[in-house]
Amino acid sequence: MNYSLGKTLIGIIDADSHFDSDYLREVVATFQNSFYDLVQTRVDVYNTVDNLTIMQNFEFSIYNALLQMARTNWGSALASGNGQFVTLKMAKNVGWSSSLLEDCEFSLKGLLKGYYGTFLNTVSVKQEGVSNLNKLIRQRTRWCQGGLQCLRIYGGAIMKAKHLQTIVKTFIIFFLMVPYLSIIVVPSSIISVSVLIFYAFYRPLIGLAIIFTLLFTENLVNTLMIEKQWHESNLEPPKNHLKIFRIIFSFAFYRWVLAFIPYRAIIRQLKGNDSWLKTAHS
């Protein structure tokens, strides 16, 4: 059978995903009205039954979506976890890989060969969130270690690629280096918080004023980011504004729970342990 390499699309969608015909129509329309060979759609979580899955949905539908929009505006989105579509031409010329973050590796190999991606924010593929903390930690450790592998294999080639803009190179290298940066940022943050708490006892007014200012600034930035995402996508914001603040407050603890994952990933990488278990769903 004679397939058109540029018009035949391949979708990579997880078995636990939910989507409808409007989703597929939007994907096809994006390819028809652009020159991209890769389209990454927004990912939402449908089983928001507890705080852990609510935080994952918030992470995917807000933060990751904004990150992908920034990547698109600055050069190219990256395939990310679920709901990605590529032309048959790109798939044949790039080829899938076997790293622990195979979709990111596919995107990087594609960039090196001149294939660019975009992010579709107006529709989403809905997947099942991980409701067990231990399973979530294993999943994120695999993702983190996969990023380290991509940095080791493709970091130098990305920096040397003459056809890639400096902003694209900077964004990608910074993203892949986050685990190494985290081993500095996490202990520094713990020390800073400890000093602030001690200072609040020593100089209550000044200490509390600093803590309040930092918390207010962080929550203001988070709120503005959320409002931007809700405005630019078809996400329906919660009618209860207290729920928004509860989510933002909870997300701070969620990030701290996952803050030590880079240490696990780096240790596994140093040991040469690249085994992994598929994310278990209920």
Side-chain angles (χ1 to χ4, degrees):
M1 185 175 294
N2 184 20
Y3 293 102
S4 172
L5 295 181
K7 294 183 179 180
T8 302
L9 305 179
I10 298 175
I12 300 95
I13 300 176
D14 290 351
D16 60 296
S17 302
H18 294 177
F19 59 93
D20 55 26
S21 57
D22 288 337
Y23 171 82
L24 295 177
R25 278 195 288 268
E26 288 284 341
V27 169
V28 173
T30 302
F31 278 103
Q32 290 176 334
N33 295 285
S34 72
F35 295 100
Y36 290 106
D37 283 275
L38 183 152
V39 170
Q40 170 65 54
T41 61
R42 195 182 76 238
V43 178
D44 297 339
V45 171
Y46 61 76
N47 62 322
T48 50
V49 295
D50 53 31
N51 208 45
L52 191 62
T53 50
I54 290 173
M55 292 302 100
Q56 290 170 66
N57 183 53
F58 183 74
E59 178 185 18
F60 293 152
S61 63
I62 301 296
Y63 278 93
N64 285 8
L66 290 171
L67 178 62
Q68 288 282 26
M69 290 169 63
R71 287 172 178 162
T72 299
N73 292 335
W74 292 344
S76 178
L78 302 178
S80 180
N82 190 7
Q84 57 236 200
F85 295 81
V86 301
T87 61
L88 180 58
K89 177 183 178 181
M90 180 179 180
K92 288 178 68 68
N93 290 343
V94 174
W96 210 246
S97 303
S98 58
S99 75
L100 297 180
L101 201 61
E102 68 277 6
D103 45 9
C104 179
E105 183 176 8
F106 177 82
S107 301
L108 297 179
K109 290 168 63 178
L111 275 175
L112 292 172
K113 293 189 175 184
Y115 293 102
Y116 295 86
T118 188
F119 178 69
L120 186 55
N121 191 33
T122 54
V123 295
S124 68
V125 59
K126 297 172 177 59
Q127 69 180 33
E128 183 181 356
V130 181
S131 56
N132 179 280
L133 181 59
N134 289 331
K135 293 178 180 178
L136 179 66
I137 291 175
R138 285 200 300 268
Q139 179 196 65
R140 298 309 173 87
T141 301
R142 173 169 62 88
W143 292 358
C144 187
Q145 186 179 355
L148 297 176
Q149 292 174 333
C150 288
L151 176 63
R152 176 178 57 83
I153 298 171
Y154 301 101
I158 291 291
M159 292 301 297
K160 295 176 182 177
K162 296 181 179 180
H163 66 282
L164 294 179
Q165 296 181 345
T166 301
I167 186 66
V168 177
K169 298 178 182 180
T170 303
F171 206 114
I172 290 174
I173 297 301
F174 180 80
F175 168 69
L176 296 177
M177 287 190 64
V178 165
Y180 292 118
L181 297 175
S182 296
I183 65 175
I184 301 174
V185 172
V186 170
S188 299
S189 299
I190 294 175
I191 294 173
S192 298
V193 170
S194 301
V195 170
L196 276 176
I197 293 175
F198 175 79
Y199 196 74
F201 283 103
Y202 184 67
R203 290 282 192 272
L205 290 179
I206 299 177
L208 291 175
I210 294 173
I211 293 174
F212 175 80
T213 301
L214 292 174
L215 290 175
F216 176 80
T217 302
E218 180 183 10
N219 283 281
L220 176 62
V221 171
N222 286 332
T223 302
L224 291 175
M225 291 174 64
I226 293 170
E227 292 290 342
K228 175 180 174 62
Q229 172 62 350
W230 278 331
H231 177 72
E232 296 188 3
S233 67
N234 64 349
L235 289 171
E236 183 178 350
K239 296 179 181 179
N240 185 354
H241 290 284
L242 290 177
K243 185 177 180 180
I244 300 176
F245 291 109
R246 182 176 69 84
I247 291 175
I248 294 175
F249 183 76
S250 299
F251 194 69
F253 288 95
Y254 174 77
R255 287 185 299 180
W256 274 108
V257 169
L258 302 181
F260 296 94
I261 283 178
Y263 293 90
R264 298 182 77 244
I266 291 172
I267 290 174
R268 280 174 54 90
Q269 185 71 3
L270 291 174
K271 290 181 176 180
N273 182 3
D274 57 359
S275 63
W276 65 282
L277 296 175
K278 186 174 179 61
T279 301
H281 295 286
S282 59

Coordinates of all heavy atoms in Angstrom, one line a residue, residues 158-235:
I158 N 23.1 19.0 20.7 CA 22.1 20.1 20.7 C 22.8 21.5 20.7 O 22.5 22.4 19.9 CB 21.1 20.0 21.9 CG1 20.2 18.8 21.7 CG2 20.4 21.3 22.1 CD1 19.2 19.0 20.6
M159 N 23.9 21.6 21.5 CA 24.6 22.8 21.6 C 25.4 23.1 20.3 O 25.5 24.3 20.0 CB 25.6 22.7 22.8 CG 24.9 22.7 24.2 SD 23.9 24.1 24.5 CE 25.1 25.5 24.4
K160 N 25.8 22.1 19.6 CA 26.6 22.3 18.4 C 25.7 22.5 17.2 O 26.2 22.9 16.1 CB 27.5 21.2 18.2 CG 28.6 21.0 19.3 CD 29.5 19.8 19.0 CE 30.5 19.6 20.1 NZ 31.3 18.3 19.9
A161 N 24.4 22.2 17.3 CA 23.5 22.3 16.1 C 23.4 23.7 15.6 O 22.9 24.6 16.3 CB 22.2 21.7 16.4
K162 N 23.9 24.0 14.4 CA 23.9 25.3 13.8 C 22.5 25.8 13.4 O 22.2 27.0 13.4 CB 24.8 25.4 12.7 CG 26.3 25.2 13.0 CD 27.2 25.3 11.8 CE 28.6 25.1 12.2 NZ 29.6 25.2 11.0
H163 N 21.6 24.9 13.1 CA 20.3 25.3 12.7 C 19.3 25.6 13.8 O 18.2 26.1 13.6 CB 19.6 24.2 11.8 CG 19.3 22.9 12.5 ND1 20.3 22.0 12.9 CD2 18.2 22.4 13.0 CE1 19.7 21.0 13.5 NE2 18.4 21.2 13.6
L164 N 19.7 25.3 15.0 CA 18.8 25.6 16.2 C 19.2 27.0 16.8 O 20.3 27.3 17.0 CB 19.0 24.5 17.3 CG 18.5 23.1 16.9 CD1 18.8 22.2 18.1 CD2 17.0 23.1 16.5
Q165 N 18.1 27.7 17.1 CA 18.3 29.0 17.7 C 18.9 28.9 19.1 O 18.6 27.9 19.8 CB 17.0 29.8 17.7 CG 16.4 30.2 16.3 CD 15.2 31.0 16.4 OE1 14.5 31.0 17.5 NE2 14.7 31.5 15.3
T166 N 19.6 29.9 19.5 CA 20.2 29.9 20.9 C 19.1 29.7 22.0 O 19.4 29.0 22.9 CB 21.0 31.2 21.1 OG1 22.0 31.4 20.1 CG2 21.6 31.2 22.5
I167 N 18.0 30.4 21.8 CA 16.9 30.3 22.8 C 16.4 28.8 23.0 O 16.1 28.3 24.0 CB 15.8 31.2 22.5 CG1 14.7 31.2 23.7 CG2 15.1 30.9 21.2 CD1 15.3 31.8 25.0
V168 N 16.3 28.1 21.8 CA 15.9 26.7 21.8 C 16.9 25.9 22.6 O 16.6 25.0 23.4 CB 15.7 26.2 20.4 CG1 15.3 24.7 20.4 CG2 14.6 27.0 19.7
K169 N 18.2 26.1 22.2 CA 19.3 25.3 22.9 C 19.3 25.5 24.4 O 19.4 24.6 25.2 CB 20.6 25.7 22.3 CG 20.8 25.4 20.8 CD 22.2 25.9 20.3 CE 22.4 25.7 18.9 NZ 23.7 26.1 18.4
T170 N 19.2 26.8 24.8 CA 19.2 27.2 26.2 C 18.0 26.5 26.9 O 18.2 26.0 28.0 CB 19.1 28.7 26.3 OG1 20.2 29.3 25.6 CG2 19.2 29.1 27.8
F171 N 16.9 26.6 26.4 CA 15.7 26.1 27.0 C 15.8 24.5 27.2 O 15.5 24.0 28.3 CB 14.4 26.3 26.1 CG 13.1 26.4 26.9 CD1 12.4 27.6 27.0 CD2 12.6 25.3 27.6 CE1 11.2 27.6 27.8 CE2 11.5 25.3 28.3 CZ 10.8 26.5 28.4
I172 N 16.3 23.9 26.2 CA 16.4 22.4 26.3 C 17.5 22.0 27.3 O 17.2 21.1 28.1 CB 16.7 21.8 24.9 CG1 15.5 22.0 23.9 CG2 17.1 20.3 25.0 CD1 15.8 21.6 22.5
I173 N 18.6 22.6 27.2 CA 19.7 22.2 28.1 C 19.3 22.5 29.5 O 19.6 21.7 30.4 CB 21.0 23.0 27.7 CG1 21.5 22.5 26.3 CG2 22.1 22.7 28.7 CD1 21.8 21.0 26.2
F174 N 18.7 23.7 29.8 CA 18.3 24.0 31.1 C 17.2 23.0 31.6 O 17.3 22.5 32.8 CB 17.6 25.4 31.2 CG 17.2 25.8 32.5 CD1 18.1 26.3 33.5 CD2 15.8 25.7 32.9 CE1 17.7 26.7 34.7 CE2 15.4 26.1 34.1 CZ 16.3 26.6 35.1
F175 N 16.3 22.6 30.8 CA 15.3 21.6 31.2 C 15.9 20.3 31.5 O 15.6 19.6 32.5 CB 14.3 21.4 30.0 CG 13.4 20.2 30.1 CD1 12.4 20.2 31.1 CD2 13.5 19.1 29.3 CE1 11.6 19.1 31.2 CE2 12.7 18.0 29.4 CZ 11.7 18.0 30.4
L176 N 16.9 19.8 30.7 CA 17.5 18.5 31.0 C 18.5 18.6 32.2 O 18.8 17.6 32.8 CB 18.3 18.1 29.7 CG 17.5 17.8 28.5 CD1 18.4 17.5 27.3 CD2 16.5 16.7 28.7
M177 N 18.9 19.8 32.6 CA 19.9 19.9 33.7 C 19.1 20.2 35.0 O 19.8 20.2 36.1 CB 20.8 21.1 33.4 CG 21.9 20.8 32.4 SD 23.2 22.1 32.4 CE 23.9 21.9 34.0
V178 N 17.8 20.2 35.0 CA 17.1 20.5 36.2 C 17.4 19.5 37.4 O 17.6 19.9 38.5 CB 15.5 20.5 35.9 CG1 14.7 20.4 37.2 CG2 15.1 21.8 35.2
P179 N 17.5 18.2 37.1 CA 17.9 17.3 38.2 C 19.2 17.7 38.9 O 19.3 17.6 40.1 CB 18.0 15.9 37.5 CG 17.1 16.0 36.3 CD 17.3 17.5 35.9
Y180 N 20.2 18.1 38.1 CA 21.5 18.5 38.7 C 21.4 19.8 39.4 O 22.0 20.0 40.5 CB 22.6 18.6 37.6 CG 23.0 17.3 37.0 CD1 22.8 17.1 35.6 CD2 23.6 16.3 37.7 CE1 23.1 15.9 35.0 CE2 23.9 15.1 37.2 CZ 23.7 14.9 35.8 OH 24.0 13.7 35.2
L181 N 20.6 20.7 38.9 CA 20.3 22.0 39.6 C 19.6 21.8 40.9 O 19.8 22.5 41.9 CB 19.6 22.9 38.7 CG 20.3 23.4 37.4 CD1 19.3 24.2 36.6 CD2 21.6 24.1 37.7
S182 N 18.7 20.8 40.9 CA 17.9 20.5 42.1 C 18.7 20.1 43.3 O 18.4 20.3 44.4 CB 16.9 19.4 41.8 OG 16.0 19.8 40.8
I183 N 19.8 19.4 43.0 CA 20.7 18.9 44.2 C 21.3 20.1 44.9 O 21.8 19.9 46.0 CB 21.7 17.9 43.7 CG1 22.7 18.5 42.8 CG2 21.1 16.7 43.1 CD1 23.9 17.6 42.4
I184 N 21.3 21.3 44.2 CA 21.8 22.5 44.9 C 20.6 23.3 45.4 O 20.7 23.8 46.6 CB 22.6 23.4 43.8 CG1 23.8 22.6 43.3 CG2 23.0 24.7 44.5 CD1 24.5 23.3 42.2
V185 N 19.5 23.4 44.7 CA 18.4 24.2 45.1 C 17.7 23.6 46.3 O 17.3 24.4 47.2 CB 17.4 24.3 43.9 CG1 16.1 25.0 44.3 CG2 18.1 25.1 42.7
V186 N 17.5 22.3 46.3 CA 16.7 21.7 47.4 C 17.4 22.0 48.8 O 16.7 22.5 49.7 CB 16.5 20.2 47.2 CG1 15.9 19.5 48.4 CG2 15.6 20.0 46.0
P187 N 18.7 21.6 49.0 CA 19.3 21.9 50.3 C 19.4 23.4 50.6 O 19.2 23.9 51.7 CB 20.7 21.3 50.2 CG 20.9 21.1 48.8 CD 19.6 20.9 48.1
S188 N 19.6 24.2 49.5 CA 19.6 25.7 49.7 C 18.3 26.2 50.2 O 18.2 27.1 51.1 CB 20.0 26.4 48.4 OG 21.3 26.0 48.0
S189 N 17.2 25.7 49.7 CA 15.9 26.1 50.1 C 15.6 25.7 51.5 O 15.0 26.4 52.3 CB 14.8 25.4 49.1 OG 15.0 25.9 47.8
I190 N 16.0 24.5 51.9 CA 15.8 24.0 53.3 C 16.5 24.9 54.2 O 16.0 25.3 55.3 CB 16.3 22.5 53.4 CG1 15.4 21.6 52.6 CG2 16.2 22.1 54.9 CD1 15.8 20.2 52.6
I191 N 17.8 25.3 53.9 CA 18.6 26.2 54.8 C 17.9 27.5 54.8 O 17.8 28.1 55.9 CB 20.0 26.3 54.2 CG1 20.7 24.9 54.3 CG2 20.8 27.4 55.0 CD1 22.1 24.9 53.7
S192 N 17.4 28.0 53.7 CA 16.8 29.4 53.7 C 15.5 29.4 54.5 O 15.3 30.4 55.3 CB 16.5 29.7 52.2 OG 17.6 29.8 51.4
V193 N 14.7 28.4 54.4 CA 13.5 28.3 55.2 C 13.8 28.2 56.7 O 13.2 28.9 57.5 CB 12.6 27.1 54.8 CG1 11.5 26.9 55.7 CG2 12.1 27.3 53.4
S194 N 14.8 27.4 57.0 CA 15.2 27.3 58.4 C 15.7 28.6 59.0 O 15.3 29.0 60.1 CB 16.3 26.2 58.6 OG 15.9 25.0 58.1
V195 N 16.5 29.3 58.2 CA 17.0 30.6 58.6 C 15.9 31.6 58.8 O 15.8 32.4 59.8 CB 18.0 31.2 57.6 CG1 18.4 32.6 57.9 CG2 19.3 30.3 57.6
L196 N 14.9 31.6 57.9 CA 13.8 32.5 58.0 C 12.9 32.2 59.2 O 12.5 33.2 59.9 CB 12.9 32.4 56.7 CG 13.3 33.2 55.5 CD1 12.4 32.9 54.3 CD2 13.3 34.7 55.9
I197 N 12.7 31.0 59.5 CA 11.9 30.6 60.7 C 12.7 31.1 62.0 O 12.1 31.6 62.9 CB 11.7 29.1 60.8 CG1 10.7 28.7 59.6 CG2 11.1 28.7 62.1 CD1 10.5 27.2 59.5
F198 N 14.0 30.8 62.0 CA 14.8 31.3 63.2 C 14.7 32.8 63.3 O 14.6 33.3 64.4 CB 16.2 30.8 63.0 CG 17.1 31.3 64.1 CD1 17.2 30.7 65.3 CD2 18.0 32.4 63.8 CE1 18.0 31.1 66.3 CE2 18.8 32.8 64.8 CZ 18.9 32.2 66.1
Y199 N 14.8 33.5 62.2 CA 14.8 34.9 62.2 C 13.5 35.5 62.7 O 13.4 36.5 63.3 CB 15.2 35.5 60.8 CG 15.5 36.9 60.8 CD1 16.8 37.4 61.3 CD2 14.7 37.9 60.3 CE1 17.1 38.7 61.3 CE2 15.0 39.3 60.3 CZ 16.2 39.6 60.8 OH 16.6 41.0 60.8
A200 N 12.4 34.7 62.3 CA 11.1 35.2 62.7 C 10.9 35.1 64.2 O 10.2 36.0 64.8 CB 10.0 34.3 62.1
F201 N 11.6 34.2 64.9 CA 11.6 34.2 66.4 C 12.5 35.3 66.9 O 12.2 35.9 68.0 CB 12.1 32.8 66.9 CG 11.0 31.8 66.8 CD1 11.1 30.8 65.8 CD2 10.0 31.7 67.7 CE1 10.1 29.8 65.6 CE2 9.0 30.7 67.6 CZ 9.1 29.8 66.6
Y202 N 13.6 35.6 66.2 CA 14.6 36.6 66.7 C 14.1 38.0 66.4 O 14.2 38.9 67.3 CB 15.9 36.3 66.1 CG 17.0 37.2 66.5 CD1 17.5 37.1 67.8 CD2 17.6 38.2 65.7 CE1 18.5 37.9 68.3 CE2 18.6 39.0 66.1 CZ 19.1 38.9 67.4 OH 20.1 39.7 67.8
R203 N 13.6 38.2 65.3 CA 13.0 39.5 64.9 C 11.6 39.3 64.3 O 11.4 39.2 63.0 CB 13.9 40.2 63.8 CG 15.2 40.7 64.4 CD 15.0 42.0 65.1 NE 16.3 42.7 65.4 CZ 17.0 42.4 66.5 NH1 16.6 41.5 67.3 NH2 18.2 43.1 66.7
P204 N 10.6 39.1 65.1 CA 9.3 38.7 64.7 C 8.7 39.5 63.5 O 8.2 39.0 62.5 CB 8.4 38.8 65.9 CG 9.4 38.6 67.0 CD 10.6 39.3 66.6
L205 N 8.7 40.8 63.7 CA 8.1 41.7 62.7 C 8.8 41.6 61.3 O 8.1 41.4 60.3 CB 8.1 43.1 63.1 CG 7.1 43.5 64.3 CD1 7.2 44.9 64.7 CD2 5.7 43.1 63.9
I206 N 10.1 41.7 61.3 CA 10.8 41.7 60.1 C 10.8 40.3 59.5 O 10.5 40.1 58.3 CB 12.3 42.1 60.3 CG1 12.4 43.5 60.8 CG2 13.1 41.9 59.0 CD1 13.8 44.0 61.1
G207 N 11.0 39.2 60.3 CA 10.9 37.9 59.8 C 9.6 37.5 59.2 O 9.5 36.9 58.1
L208 N 8.5 37.8 59.9 CA 7.2 37.5 59.4 C 6.9 38.3 58.2 O 6.2 37.8 57.3 CB 6.1 37.7 60.5 CG 6.2 36.8 61.7 CD1 5.2 37.2 62.8 CD2 5.9 35.3 61.3
A209 N 7.4 39.5 58.1 CA 7.1 40.3 56.9 C 7.8 39.7 55.7 O 7.2 39.7 54.6 CB 7.6 41.8 57.1
I210 N 9.0 39.2 55.9 CA 9.7 38.6 54.8 C 9.0 37.3 54.3 O 8.8 37.1 53.1 CB 11.2 38.2 55.2 CG1 12.0 39.5 55.4 CG2 11.9 37.4 54.1 CD1 13.4 39.3 56.0
I211 N 8.6 36.5 55.3 CA 7.9 35.2 55.0 C 6.6 35.6 54.2 O 6.3 34.9 53.2 CB 7.6 34.4 56.2 CG1 8.9 33.9 56.8 CG2 6.7 33.3 56.0 CD1 8.8 33.2 58.2
F212 N 5.8 36.5 54.7 CA 4.6 36.9 54.1 C 4.8 37.4 52.7 O 4.0 37.1 51.8 CB 3.9 38.0 55.0 CG 2.6 38.5 54.3 CD1 1.4 37.8 54.4 CD2 2.6 39.7 53.6 CE1 0.3 38.3 53.8 CE2 1.5 40.2 53.0 CZ 0.3 39.5 53.1
T213 N 5.8 38.2 52.5 CA 6.1 38.8 51.2 C 6.4 37.7 50.2 O 6.0 37.7 49.0 CB 7.3 39.8 51.2 OG1 6.9 40.8 52.1 CG2 7.6 40.4 49.9
L214 N 7.3 36.7 50.6 CA 7.7 35.6 49.7 C 6.4 34.7 49.4 O 6.3 34.4 48.2 CB 8.7 34.8 50.4 CG 10.1 35.4 50.6 CD1 11.0 34.5 51.4 CD2 10.7 35.8 49.2
L215 N 5.6 34.4 50.4 CA 4.4 33.6 50.1 C 3.4 34.3 49.2 O 2.9 33.7 48.3 CB 3.8 33.2 51.5 CG 4.5 32.2 52.4 CD1 3.8 32.1 53.7 CD2 4.7 30.9 51.7
F216 N 3.3 35.6 49.5 CA 2.3 36.4 48.7 C 2.8 36.5 47.2 O 2.0 36.3 46.3 CB 2.2 37.8 49.2 CG 1.4 38.7 48.4 CD1 0.0 38.7 48.5 CD2 1.9 39.6 47.5 CE1 -0.8 39.5 47.7 CE2 1.1 40.5 46.7 CZ -0.2 40.4 46.8
T217 N 4.1 36.7 47.0 CA 4.7 36.8 45.7 C 4.5 35.5 44.9 O 4.1 35.4 43.8 CB 6.2 37.2 45.7 OG1 6.3 38.4 46.4 CG2 6.7 37.3 44.3
E218 N 4.8 34.4 45.6 CA 4.7 33.0 45.0 C 3.3 32.7 44.6 O 3.0 32.3 43.5 CB 5.2 31.9 45.9 CG 5.2 30.6 45.3 CD 5.6 29.4 46.2 OE1 5.8 29.7 47.4 OE2 5.7 28.3 45.8
N219 N 2.4 33.0 45.5 CA 1.0 32.7 45.2 C 0.4 33.6 44.2 O -0.5 33.2 43.4 CB 0.1 32.8 46.5 CG 0.3 31.6 47.4 OD1 -0.3 30.5 47.2 ND2 1.1 31.7 48.4
L220 N 0.9 34.9 44.1 CA 0.4 35.8 43.1 C 0.9 35.3 41.7 O 0.1 35.3 40.8 CB 1.0 37.2 43.4 CG 0.6 38.3 42.3 CD1 -0.9 38.5 42.2 CD2 1.3 39.6 42.6
V221 N 2.1 34.9 41.6 CA 2.7 34.4 40.3 C 1.9 33.2 39.9 O 1.5 33.0 38.7 CB 4.2 34.1 40.5 CG1 4.7 33.4 39.2 CG2 5.0 35.4 40.7
N222 N 1.7 32.2 40.9 CA 0.9 31.0 40.5 C -0.5 31.3 40.1 O -1.0 30.7 39.1 CB 0.9 30.1 41.8 CG 2.2 29.4 42.0 OD1 3.0 29.2 41.1 ND2 2.4 29.1 43.3
T223 N -1.1 32.3 40.7 CA -2.5 32.6 40.4 C -2.6 33.2 39.0 O -3.5 32.9 38.2 CB -3.1 33.6 41.4 OG1 -3.1 33.0 42.7 CG2 -4.5 34.0 41.0
L224 N -1.6 34.1 38.7 CA -1.6 34.7 37.3 C -1.3 33.7 36.3 O -1.9 33.7 35.2 CB -0.5 35.8 37.3 CG -0.7 37.0 38.1 CD1 0.5 38.0 38.1 CD2 -2.0 37.8 37.6
M225 N -0.5 32.7 36.6 CA -0.2 31.6 35.6 C -1.4 30.8 35.4 O -1.8 30.4 34.2 CB 0.9 30.7 36.1 CG 2.3 31.4 36.1 SD 3.6 30.4 36.9 CE 3.6 29.0 35.7
I226 N -2.2 30.5 36.4 CA -3.4 29.7 36.3 C -4.4 30.5 35.5 O -5.1 29.9 34.6 CB -3.9 29.4 37.7 CG1 -3.0 28.5 38.5 CG2 -5.3 28.8 37.6 CD1 -3.3 28.3 39.9
E227 N -4.6 31.8 35.8 CA -5.6 32.6 35.1 C -5.2 32.6 33.6 O -6.1 32.6 32.7 CB -5.6 34.0 35.6 CG -6.2 34.1 37.0 CD -7.7 33.8 37.1 OE1 -8.3 33.9 36.0 OE2 -8.2 33.5 38.2
K228 N -3.9 32.7 33.3 CA -3.5 32.8 31.9 C -3.8 31.5 31.2 O -4.4 31.5 30.0 CB -2.0 33.0 31.8 CG -1.4 32.9 30.4 CD 0.1 33.1 30.4 CE 0.7 33.0 29.1 NZ 0.2 33.9 28.1
Q229 N -3.6 30.3 31.8 CA -3.9 29.0 31.2 C -5.4 28.8 31.0 O -5.8 28.4 30.0 CB -3.3 27.9 32.0 CG -3.7 26.5 31.6 CD -3.2 26.1 30.2 OE1 -2.8 27.0 29.4 NE2 -3.4 24.9 29.8
W230 N -6.2 29.2 32.0 CA -7.6 29.1 31.9 C -8.2 30.0 30.8 O -9.1 29.6 30.1 CB -8.3 29.4 33.2 CG -8.3 28.2 34.2 CD1 -8.3 26.9 33.9 CD2 -8.3 28.3 35.6 NE1 -8.3 26.1 35.0 CE2 -8.3 26.9 36.1 CE3 -8.3 29.3 36.5 CZ2 -8.3 26.6 37.4 CZ3 -8.3 29.0 37.9 CH2 -8.3 27.7 38.3
H231 N -7.5 31.1 30.6 CA -8.0 32.0 29.6 C -7.7 31.5 28.2 O -8.4 31.7 27.2 CB -7.3 33.4 29.8 CG -7.7 34.4 28.7 ND1 -8.9 35.0 28.6 CD2 -6.9 34.9 27.7 CE1 -8.9 35.8 27.6 NE2 -7.7 35.8 27.0
E232 N -6.5 30.9 28.0 CA -6.0 30.5 26.7 C -6.5 29.1 26.3 O -6.3 28.7 25.2 CB -4.5 30.6 26.6 CG -4.0 32.0 26.8 CD -2.5 32.2 26.5 OE1 -1.9 31.1 26.2 OE2 -2.0 33.3 26.6
S233 N -7.0 28.3 27.2 CA -7.5 27.0 26.9 C -9.0 26.9 27.2 O -9.6 27.9 27.5 CB -6.8 25.9 27.8 OG -7.2 26.1 29.1
N234 N -9.6 25.8 27.0 CA -11.0 25.6 27.3 C -11.3 25.0 28.6 O -12.3 24.4 28.9 CB -11.7 24.7 26.2 CG -11.1 23.3 26.2 OD1 -10.1 23.0 26.9 ND2 -11.8 22.4 25.5
L235 N -10.3 25.2 29.5 CA -10.5 24.7 30.9 C -11.5 25.6 31.6 O -11.4 26.8 31.5 CB -9.1 24.7 31.7 CG -8.1 23.7 31.2 CD1 -6.8 24.0 31.9 CD2 -8.6 22.3 31.6

